[in-house]
Amino acid sequence: MCGISGFTGLGNEADLQSMTEALTHRGPDATGYAGLPEIPLYLGHKRLSILDHSGGEQPMWLRGRELGLVFNGEIYNHLELRAELEILGHRFVSDHSDTETLLRAYDQWGTSMTKKLNGMFAFVIFDKIKKRLFGARDHFGQKPFYYTQNSKLFAFSSELSSLVKHPQIEATQDKLSLMKYFAHDYIPAPRTVFKDIFKLPAGQQFIFNIDEKKLKIEEYWDFNLDTRPLTLSEGEIEEKLRGLLKSSVSRCLQTDVPYGVFLSGGIDSSCIAKYATDIVGAPIHTFSIYFEEKSFDESEYSNLMAKTLKSKHHFDHLSINKAKGIIPTVLKNLDEPLGDASLIPTYLVSQYAKKFVTVVLGGDGGDELFAGYDPFKALSYAETYQNYMPRGGHQWMTAIANLIPVSHKNLSFDFKVKRFLRGLDHPSKYWTSQWMSSLAIPELEKLFGEKIRPEELFSEALAAWEGCANQNSVDQAIRYYVKMYMQNGILTKVDRSSMMNSLEVRAPFLDTE
């Protein structure tokens, strides 16, 4: 896990150093710079050493400086790709560096190499012969990639706060992006909080022609559900799923540093901890947080699972006072607005885990891919409600619901009822967005003092919902959660809170297989 930065165009090595040093928390183990003023091109890298400590220095080069690479992430199938490339005639210099595998994969397959990758990544490759930069972001958006382009400059970085260190980049707040933040609790890709600065969406790659100063972005992969009829029995599906998840956990355990598992006690993290224990054949490190507020606390389940697995279980507790102490540090380093309160316990468990390990496996992706969230259950109720509720009855139901006393317990009854009915103020394509939004549209209009067009405000969410190959509400909601909530919310939260503590988090559920 690392931080990358760079640019072509106006600027010098001092600008590159300023950008790169802002990423030190992402990679405190090593720093690399490369300046090619004749291009002009500048590449920077901060390294958190995970694989092949001596053989993975970056920027990495082939054939002098004909091909160069800066890379953030992990390629889980790098050993298989290395073997394939060796058969094709490539002679590796490193012992087992996935960075070298990535660079040689481009040398062999060009821009189509992304179709072969299984992992989490954001990278940029300099191709001197073709006078271009080629880059990509992983399938689900686990690793961040920010960029900007104008007539004088193309620049990129792992974080916004690094990118805006370049003196040619103007950080001007974008009002529509801010409105989208208050609608979603995050800013959906490709937008950022600043005008003319963008996030490369998950599953997309780019080519920047250095001479012509032209940027081309294309999609190399898109998440969608298979609409073909099932040919396997439920038992066969279960067996295949178990095998795929175990293989994914095994790939995620490839590391030269100590590792563990975030263990909440839920199904997702418990499965991962179980398979990790089986694969290792010995007790593993597990980490969890407990809360003093009982409705939020899951320590009963995490402790039970840790006892069952005989893991080396470590836990910390989050109190109001501890949260108050953490919040200034988190907000200072958050980089872009994010309204998920679970950022605080995620930061705390990452900070605590770093005392023992450098890599952690987590259960991210399970709820999105397997329809685990409460709103999935609400879909069928919403469809029935809409079909049978008499005209005008909805307003009466909403008025009655507003009489229910407010509870501050986690997912309380009044919260569920009020949020459910709020979603039904709108057509079905807005339900999930409205159930997840902290503010209703009338509240947003009051906040910004203007009329809001829902189709503009929720444009990315509607594209995810309506782009589903199978037009039923559950599949559409799964695609919404993967493309919107997981990419822009959950994975951003995990990346920022873990990397603030120089900890790498891997998500076996997001294995491409």
Side-chain angles (χ1 to χ4, degrees), residues 184 379 386 423-424 426-435 454-455 458-467 471 473 476-477 480:
H184 295 290
L379 288 168
Q386 242 190 10
L424 295 176
H426 306 276
S428 59
K429 61 184 178 181
Y430 291 103
W431 286 350
T432 310
S433 297
Q434 283 297 289
W435 289 339
E455 63 273 14
F458 295 101
S459 58
E460 296 87 0
L462 294 177
W465 183 274
E466 294 173 342
Q471 295 292 307
S473 60
Q476 288 171 313
Y480 161 85

Side-chain angles (χ1 to χ4, degrees), residues 195-208:
K195 291 180 180 178
D196 302 320
I197 299 178
F198 304 97
K199 293 189 279 274
L200 186 69
Q204 294 194 10
Q205 60 189 33
F206 72 86
I207 295 173
F208 181 77

